Amino acid sequence: MQVFSSLDLQQKTGEIQRAVVREPVVVTSHGKPRSVMMSVEEYRRLKAIAGEPVPDEAIAPPRTRNAVTVRGIDDPLGYDVSDFDAAVRQMLDDVRSGSKRAAVQAELARVRKLFGRCRT
């Protein structure tokens, strides 16, 4: 079992997450064991052995085919991207009608300014 300090937890998050997939890890504070981190699979296994329910947060939502998840990013053109398919349909309608042409040009200018140095 690997042991990491609380400082390691702040500085080596990726390394610790990779270690946790292989086996539980101990996190220490001031040299004393304070917590154990484990994979969700291991947590579920232990809950099942104990006959305890698994909290909803530890159960992966069912994946749907071709699903797209958009997390907490506001669309600069004002589209509601929580329903991605509906947002794309609305965007296409707006492109056809030209109703957001000025907003699109302003957003393109902003993107070009941010990424103008990038070459493909």
Side-chain angles (χ1 to χ4, degrees):
M1 181 176 280
Q2 288 187 319
V3 177
F4 292 92
S5 70
S6 56
L7 181 62
D8 291 334
L9 190 57
Q10 294 173 6
Q11 296 177 343
K12 300 178 181 181
T13 303
E15 180 182 337
I16 294 171
Q17 287 179 339
R18 286 186 294 278
V20 164
V21 171
R22 293 186 301 273
E23 64 181 346
V25 235
V26 172
V27 178
T28 63
S29 178
H30 302 288
K32 298 177 184 174
R34 293 290 182 205
S35 59
V36 175
M37 293 177 65
M38 66 185 75
S39 68
V40 171
E41 292 79 16
E42 179 67 1
Y43 178 75
R44 287 186 205 138
R45 186 184 75 78
L46 293 173
K47 284 294 209 180
I49 290 171
E52 298 174 0
V54 176
D56 290 342
E57 296 82 7
I59 300 172
R63 293 186 64 105
T64 57
R65 194 168 181 258
N66 298 325
V68 174
T69 302
V70 179
R71 301 182 199 283
I73 300 172
D74 290 332
D75 181 70
L77 297 175
Y79 294 102
D80 176 7
V81 292
S82 62
D83 180 349
F84 190 73
D85 290 336
V88 169
R89 284 191 295 277
Q90 183 62 52
M91 287 176 199
L92 289 172
D93 289 344
D94 289 347
V95 165
R96 290 183 186 117
S97 71
S99 67
K100 290 201 175 186
R101 183 168 301 188
V104 168
Q105 292 304 318
E107 180 61 14
L108 287 172
R110 187 184 76 78
V111 169
R112 285 186 187 111
K113 184 178 178 181
L114 286 172
F115 301 105
R117 295 175 291 224
C118 298
R119 302 283 181 225
T120 56

